[in-house]
Amino acid sequence: SEREGRSGSSTQSSHRLLAYSDALISIIATVMILPVAHTKVEDNEELRESVQLLLTTKIAVYLMTFLIVTMAWAAHIRLFQVIVRIDDCLALLNLACMMLITFLPYTFSLMATFPENMLGILLFCGCVMVMGVIQSVIVVYAFSRPFLLNEQIQISENQTFYKQHILKVIMRVPIMCFFASIFSFIFFPLSYVLLAIITFLPYISQCLKWCRSKAIGQVEDTPDSMVFYTYLPNEPLSKERVEAFSDGVYAIVATLLILDICEDNVPDPTVVEKQFGGSLVAALKAYGPEYLAYFGSFATVGLLWFVHHSLFLHVTKATRFMGLLNTFSLAFVGGLPLAYQLTHEFPRNSQNELEAIQISCVIIFFAGIFQLSIWVVALYSEQETLHPYVWYGGREHVFMLAKLALYPCIALGTFFLTCILSKFSTSIFHLMEITVPFAFLVLRLLVRVGLAILRFIFCPNRSNLTTV
Amino acid sequence: SEREGRSGSSTQSSHRLLAYSDALISIIATVMILPVAHTKVEDNEELRESVQLLLTTKIAVYLMTFLIVTMAWAAHIRLFQVIVRIDDCLALLNLACMMLITFLPYTFSLMATFPENMLGILLFCGCVMVMGVIQSVIVVYAFSRPFLLNEQIQISENQTFYKQHILKVIMRVPIMCFFASIFSFIFFPLSYVLLAIITFLPYISQCLKWCRSKAIGQVEDTPDSMVFYTYLPNEPLSKERVEAFSDGVYAIVATLLILDICEDNVPDPTVVEKQFGGSLVAALKAYGPEYLAYFGSFATVGLLWFVHHSLFLHVTKATRFMGLLNTFSLAFVGGLPLAYQLTHEFPRNSQNELEAIQISCVIIFFAGIFQLSIWVVALYSEQETLHPYVWYGGREHVFMLAKLALYPCIALGTFFLTCILSKFSTSIFHLMEITVPFAFLVLRLLVRVGLAILRFIFCPNRSNLTTV
């Protein structure tokens, strides 16, 4: 087996395995938006409150699932930053792990539907514990074949220390889940508290750490002070994997509506014959709003992807906090098709339609503002995280800012316009949908014109300098 | 604009754009399996024939959509083998193109449902024509900024010739669609004939070319003889993009069943209270078969991905014919979740259940045999397409063969076993599902033992040689 290991044919670069895992995890992260999207919202005042309660529950389940699956994904990144080469055995173990991750959303929605039944907790904790065992087996296996490991660890003298540290970090979550599952027999609210701690601790600790470092200045991390949930000191997130995961989410979200349309909106030939006198055009006209919703949501998701793509072209290193903001942005992107679908489900000029349009604006706004905040956070440590030409005062700085600010500004503008001119809300919204792609096409021109005007107004003497 | 172009900040490597396009296209290629999967098959002899007819139509639509979308994807690959760098404008034009591709499956299913109505043909042809126009704009734009182009063309002296040739090839399909849409007003069967020619011509010409080259020896391609649908002489398929597209299909197919389960199989609390006396376990037991189907299909798709991954690790260059075989394999993989779902929808030991299990075996067999044939085709020109250690007689040759042959052999074995022991068909099938992952884990060992036995029987004198 030593001979095989060094031959390079049975050990492989883990690149494609990770890309496939990212694709699987991104699909699973967004899956719980489907039950939300397929909730029938009636234009009936009596049923409205119960439907709204149901919808709120489902949205909460979606957001929580998104966070939990993203957490599992972050753990997966950390594991495969230590193990950089794989062989067949690791590939198969990883597939088993993926299977369990894809089952998490279901166990989680069981918990949400039957909060007082311990079955959901048990299934969820069971999945997490088995995943912990599989990950430990992966780590033990990889450390028994050191050529699979990260160079840093491969040349290190205290491999055994690293191995024990990583195993300790990995087993932390399953052990907490073990206690949560035991408490579910005794006093189940305690289990939920434990699960909430597991889920939010890394986020809270990250936010606190970032706030503290901003408040009292950068604290130098000593190699010993390995933070909670980390294997290697000072490891950044893998930029490739953040991109691959985001691409997966954008792709599945962009196509969510066409999946529905392809399945449900082909009329039945007998219905066309009877109700529309054989006229297919008349029958399809009824679906018109659905097509509009599809094109609108595809364009919006596509353009948000475009902004994300432009942003990450300029990013050289993704910190954990940037990854967290990216997750929030993606979670809102996941809600977009649903919001667009709602805008066309209600009668023209009803209160519901106005609300649906405003919700869409709010979702677009948040998706965009979190993208913008990734950039703002990156600017705080621009020398480490960004290419020089987008640094503050750099050649592309203003243009990148304009690109990132376009969607939040337009969404905010549309929101306030629909508040004032509520009668024309639909027209305003459609106009926005059509204008935005063209705005992106001519954005570079617009920014130049804008800068020239600003320069002409504020410092006419220096107007011969070029900054864009 | 010259300054920007050379600065490297506004022109970008197209890598991530292509990965995102691959993800979108792979989701769209498999989308038409959903209407097939959600056809309710009743265990009722009277309705059976009409349902079977409906199912056959839907399966035909799925397969045709898969081929057509794969064709659009191949055209996309060719285009971005010529244009290797992008800027914002190209990225936005590409997104517009993607939006039209995602709409193709719908227009196609309209054609299938209303074959005598010209609306489907017109919509389909309209989409293809607009795509042709966008692609032409992309080509003209890229040739006006030569730093975006392939090096080979960038240094070539007859750029204008290349440009015209590429535009001619691109416009071929839209022009044929234009005639097809005109014929739809006059005599619509002719439109279908035209569309069929467009769809199958590249496949047929490829097969014929391959057969001829095998029959009368390798014909040397002169640089002038650019084949139909090709821009550059002797261009191989991009191996990365074949992998990315395959990963997308495998990922979406592996998660298809969990999407359904997450949406539909969370019982209603009131139903649990009334029908199951508040016992959630009893309520979930009714869904048992669905979970089994999910785990079975995830494991099978995951392991087929694993075989594909192992195969493409050894491939250095993917020829067009290998790409075609890969498409066929993926089309069968797309049918897998559906087949697994069917195995659990019928009462135990019914004729329908037996048929569903046998259909699953047939689909697994074909998905596996097409993977195997990719390797066999690659072996014909092994010096160009494969790494030396898997060449015939190479160190890993037998092991790779065993990996690729495992699924076809097991599927065939299960099929014949269920024919003979039809009473135990379900047990045999489940046993197969559980055994296969372990068989992959110990495959290297099994192959070694097998080879040792073979050597011991046939040439006991040379048993001290090691070949694996």
Side-chain angles (χ1 to χ4, degrees), chain B residues 72-352:
Chain B
W73 170 71
H76 193 265
I77 291 189
R78 285 194 303 272
L79 188 62
F80 284 90
Q81 276 176 335
V82 172
I83 302 164
V84 292
R85 269 169 293 279
I86 56 159
D87 62 5
D88 284 2
C89 190
L90 285 184
L92 290 171
L93 285 172
N94 180 61
L95 280 180
C97 213
M98 282 299 124
M99 192 196 261
L100 289 166
I101 290 181
T102 55
F103 203 64
L104 283 184
Y106 181 69
T107 62
F108 192 73
S109 70
L110 271 187
M111 276 201 278
T113 324
F114 301 92
E116 307 205 354
N117 196 308
M118 64 184 198
L119 188 69
I121 304 177
L122 286 181
L123 274 176
F124 183 83
C125 292
C127 275
V128 174
M129 283 189 282
V130 177
M131 268 163 61
V133 171
I134 296 178
Q135 288 191 336
S136 306
V137 172
I138 290 179
V139 169
V140 171
Y141 180 87
F143 272 86
S144 73
R145 285 158 177 73
F147 48 83
L148 298 172
L149 297 173
N150 188 323
E151 289 243 315
Q152 199 183 336
I153 295 179
Q154 228 179 102
I155 56 168
S156 149
E157 285 182 7
N158 36 5
Q159 268 188 23
T160 324
F161 166 74
Y162 271 120
K163 180 172 146 187
Q164 280 168 359
H165 172 71
I166 291 170
L167 283 178
K168 240 186 270 171
V169 175
I170 284 179
M171 290 315 288
R172 213 169 269 167
V173 173
I175 286 171
M176 281 172 92
C177 278
F178 177 70
F179 284 114
S181 61
I182 285 178
F183 283 128
S184 73
F185 289 96
I186 305 162
F187 182 63
F188 68 84
L190 202 59
S191 319
Y192 285 112
V193 173
L194 258 177
L195 291 182
I197 290 175
I198 297 172
T199 316
F200 288 110
L201 207 56
Y203 296 111
I204 295 168
S205 75
Q206 255 178 64
C207 287
L208 281 179
K209 204 180 139 201
W210 188 78
C211 293
R212 204 184 54 198
S213 76
K214 285 299 135 203
I216 61 168
Q218 188 64 49
V219 183
E220 202 53 39
D221 277 319
T222 56
D224 307 336
S225 73
M226 300 208 211
V227 279
F228 195 72
Y229 284 124
T230 317
Y231 305 149
L232 295 169
N234 299 322
E235 50 176 13
L237 276 177
S238 154
K239 191 194 153 202
E240 283 76 42
R241 295 203 61 187
V242 174
E243 287 182 351
F245 179 73
S246 310
D247 280 355
V249 172
Y250 281 110
I252 193 83
V253 167
T255 46
L256 267 186
L257 287 190
I258 201 74
L259 297 188
D260 279 350
I261 287 179
C262 280
E263 187 168 0
D264 302 329
N265 293 10
V266 179
D268 196 297
T270 54
V271 172
V272 173
E273 201 55 53
K274 278 179 196 159
Q275 288 184 13
F276 298 95
S279 163
L280 183 57
V281 180
L284 290 184
K285 255 188 194 154
Y287 298 135
E290 265 107 2
Y291 305 143
L292 251 181
Y294 164 64
F295 286 115
S297 89
F298 188 98
T300 312
V301 173
L303 291 172
L304 283 169
W305 173 84
F306 171 71
V307 173
H308 189 272
H309 167 247
S310 304
L311 175 62
F312 272 76
L313 272 179
H314 301 318
V315 168
T316 52
K317 200 183 93 176
T319 64
R320 293 193 172 275
F321 190 57
M322 282 159 73
L324 179 63
L325 290 171
N326 187 43
T327 305
F328 288 150
S329 172
L330 290 178
F332 279 99
V333 169
L336 256 181
L338 152 78
Y340 267 81
Q341 200 173 21
L342 283 181
T343 57
H344 301 278
E345 265 188 6
F346 301 108
R348 268 289 173 113
N349 287 324
S350 66
Q351 183 62 25
N352 275 333

Side-chain angles (χ1 to χ4, degrees), chain A residues 1 3-4 7-10 12-13 16-17 19-20 23-24 27-28 31-32 34-35 38 86-89 91-93 95 98-100 102-103 105-106 109-110 113-114 117 119-120 123 243-244 246-248 250-252 254-255 258-259 261-263 265-269 272 278-281 284 287 291 294-296 298-299 301-303 305-306 308-310 312-314 389 395-396 399 403 437 440-441 444 448 466 468, chain B residues 1 3-4 7-10 12-13 16-17 19-20 23-24 27-28 31-32 34-35 38 86-89 91-93 95 98-100 102-103 105-106 109-110 113-114 117 119-120 123 243-244 246-248 250-252 254-255 258-259 261-263 265-269 272 278-281 284 287 291 294-296 298-299 301-303 305-306 308-310 312-314 389 395-396 399 403 437 440-441 444 448 466 468:
Chain A
S1 96
R3 188 172 51 85
E4 282 161 35
S7 72
S9 58
S10 66
Q12 311 135 12
S13 149
R16 195 176 159 198
L17 179 87
Y20 183 61
L24 281 177
I27 294 172
I28 287 309
V31 61
M32 294 313 295
L34 286 178
H38 293 163
I86 56 158
D87 62 5
D88 285 1
C89 189
L92 290 170
L93 286 172
L95 280 180
M98 283 299 125
M99 191 195 263
L100 288 165
T102 56
F103 203 63
Y106 181 69
S109 70
L110 272 186
T113 324
F114 301 92
N117 195 309
L119 189 68
L123 273 176
E243 287 182 350
S246 310
D247 281 355
Y250 282 111
I252 193 85
T255 46
I258 200 73
L259 298 187
I261 287 179
C262 280
E263 187 168 359
N265 293 12
V266 178
D268 196 297
V272 172
S279 162
L280 184 57
V281 179
L284 289 186
Y287 298 135
Y291 305 144
Y294 164 64
F295 286 116
F298 189 98
V301 174
L303 291 172
W305 174 83
F306 171 71
H308 189 272
H309 167 247
S310 305
F312 272 76
L313 271 179
H314 301 317
Y389 46 81
R395 208 160 25 77
E396 293 277 314
F399 183 57
K403 233 184 211 174
F440 272 105
L441 264 177
R444 197 172 277 271
R448 262 194 224 164
T466 53
V468 176
Chain B
S1 96
R3 187 173 51 87
E4 281 160 34
S7 73
S9 59
S10 66
Q12 310 135 12
S13 149
R16 196 178 157 195
L17 179 88
Y20 183 60
L24 281 177
I27 293 172
I28 288 308
V31 60
M32 294 313 294
L34 285 178
H38 293 163
I86 56 159
D87 62 5
D88 284 2
C89 190
L92 290 171
L93 285 172
L95 280 180
M98 282 299 124
M99 192 196 261
L100 289 166
T102 55
F103 203 64
Y106 181 69
S109 70
L110 271 187
T113 324
F114 301 92
N117 196 308
L119 188 69
L123 274 176
E243 287 182 351
S246 310
D247 280 355
Y250 281 110
I252 193 83
T255 46
I258 201 74
L259 297 188
I261 287 179
C262 280
E263 187 168 0
N265 293 10
V266 179
D268 196 297
V272 173
S279 163
L280 183 57
V281 180
L284 290 184
Y287 298 135
Y291 305 143
Y294 164 64
F295 286 115
F298 188 98
V301 173
L303 291 172
W305 173 84
F306 171 71
H308 189 272
H309 167 247
S310 304
F312 272 76
L313 272 179
H314 301 318
Y389 45 80
R395 207 159 26 80
E396 292 278 313
F399 183 57
K403 235 184 210 173
F440 272 105
L441 265 177
R444 200 171 276 270
R448 260 191 224 166
T466 54
V468 178

Side-chain angles (χ1 to χ4, degrees), chain A residues 382-401:
Chain A
E382 58 185 14
Q383 275 154 347
E384 282 169 36
T385 54
L386 292 175
H387 281 297
Y389 46 81
V390 283
W391 289 0
Y392 182 76
R395 208 160 25 77
E396 293 277 314
H397 181 84
V398 183
F399 183 57
M400 192 66 233
L401 181 67

Side-chain angles (χ1 to χ4, degrees), chain A residues 136-157:
Chain A
S136 307
V137 171
I138 290 179
V139 169
V140 171
Y141 180 87
F143 272 87
S144 73
R145 285 159 177 73
F147 48 85
L148 298 173
L149 297 174
N150 187 322
E151 290 242 317
Q152 198 183 337
I153 295 178
Q154 226 179 103
I155 57 169
S156 148
E157 284 182 10

Side-chain angles (χ1 to χ4, degrees), chain A residues 352-369:
Chain A
N352 275 333
E353 196 198 40
L354 179 65
E355 276 175 17
I357 286 177
Q358 291 181 340
I359 291 173
S360 301
C361 292
V362 170
I363 292 182
I364 297 175
F365 175 76
F366 277 108
I369 210 79

